[in-house]
Amino acid sequence: MAEVKLFRTWSSPFALRVVWALKLKGVPYETIYEDLSNKSPLLLQYNPIHKKVPVLVHNGKPIVESLVILEYIDETWKENPLLPEDPLERAAARFWAKFGDEKVLPSIWESFTNEGKEQEEAIVKAKENLKYLEEELKGKKFFGGEKLGLADIALGWLAYYGSSVFEDVAGMKLLTEEEFPLLSAWKLTFADGPIIKDNWPSRDKLIAKFQATREDHLLKKAPK
């Protein structure tokens, strides 16, 4: 019986963060795939408040919320640290991880789930947030410097979902090399890392899933 279990879905970018962290640390684990339309009793038991993935179970004890899980993994398994030693640098990594979830992701999702003028306005907001990330990468290979760390893992969805799948499905351009040269370079470097690229979900399956998701959102917004 595995000491570490990960409850996830095949497509969740939040669960993918945990996959990357565990593999970067060399931690063996068992994967339990969830169907969120028919959640298992175990998932509801381990995450009764949010009732969602990812959930990491270590020695029978659940840890929920992907950014919290990343820090737990980093504190529990010391190999290949995700956070730097310096307190100021650790705070910066946490800030950018949170900025990604609270500002970047919602603005890109708003762009993705709208069309016409609403989409254009949302893209302006999304690009404003991306500019902050571009600025932060000046003189650096990764958000923490020369080594991949917590902020990169937290923002990793941007390298595949945000700048590829979402753009193609919604017919929009967000992260262009002309406007965001540093972020574009980071995206390629991050996405091509051995552990990172080996664990991306099927692009074709993601396109199909998010096409259906977008159509559903647009249908709900359409005038009755």
Side-chain angles (χ1 to χ4, degrees), residues 17-220:
R17 294 169 171 173
V18 183
V19 171
W20 289 330
L22 290 170
K23 288 186 178 288
L24 285 166
K25 296 276 189 178
V27 178
Y29 65 96
E30 177 188 345
T31 300
I32 294 98
Y33 286 99
E34 284 285 335
D35 174 1
L36 296 185
S37 65
N38 183 26
K39 298 171 185 178
S40 72
L42 269 181
L43 177 64
L44 299 176
Q45 175 190 325
Y46 285 135
N47 193 359
I49 295 174
H50 297 300
K51 302 178 177 64
K52 62 183 183 180
V53 296
V55 176
L56 186 76
V57 180
H58 184 208
N59 290 330
K61 303 293 184 183
I63 305 96
V64 302
E65 296 296 290
S66 63
L67 295 183
V68 175
I69 294 171
L70 290 184
E71 293 214 37
Y72 178 84
I73 289 170
D74 204 37
E75 291 169 5
T76 304
W77 294 280
K78 303 297 183 184
E79 305 84 358
N80 300 322
L82 304 178
L83 282 166
E85 289 291 329
D86 181 74
L88 188 60
E89 291 177 3
R90 292 168 77 89
R94 292 183 177 113
F95 172 83
W96 291 112
K98 195 174 181 185
F99 177 76
D101 278 8
E102 294 184 354
K103 294 290 186 181
V104 180
L105 181 55
S107 63
I108 290 181
W109 187 252
E110 189 179 349
S111 305
F112 175 71
T113 54
N114 277 294
E115 56 186 352
K117 187 181 177 184
E118 287 182 336
Q119 185 185 66
E120 289 171 12
E121 291 171 351
I123 286 173
V124 170
K125 290 180 189 175
K127 286 187 175 182
E128 285 173 1
N129 289 324
L130 292 175
K131 283 174 186 172
Y132 288 112
L133 298 183
E134 178 76 8
E135 188 71 22
E136 180 60 20
L137 281 168
K138 281 186 177 176
K140 296 189 289 190
K141 182 178 180 182
F142 294 106
F143 282 95
E146 289 303 302
K147 186 173 174 289
L148 186 149
L150 182 134
D152 302 285
I153 290 173
L155 289 161
W157 61 271
L158 192 56
Y160 194 68
Y161 292 74
S163 66
S164 176
V165 174
F166 290 175
E167 284 189 343
D168 284 2
V169 170
M172 60 186 187
K173 283 293 175 190
L174 282 173
L175 210 168
T176 64
E177 194 173 348
E178 293 74 28
E179 285 185 274
F180 303 102
L182 300 179
L183 200 50
S184 296
W186 166 84
K187 176 185 81 169
L188 294 175
T189 303
F190 176 83
D192 201 42
I195 285 174
I196 306 301
K197 70 179 179 183
D198 291 345
N199 290 283
W200 290 119
S202 160
R203 191 174 185 279
D204 288 344
K205 283 179 68 179
L206 283 178
I207 294 249
K209 173 186 170 59
F210 284 109
Q211 274 177 337
T213 300
R214 184 168 189 265
E215 286 167 9
D216 186 51
H217 275 268
L218 293 175
L219 192 62
K220 287 176 180 174

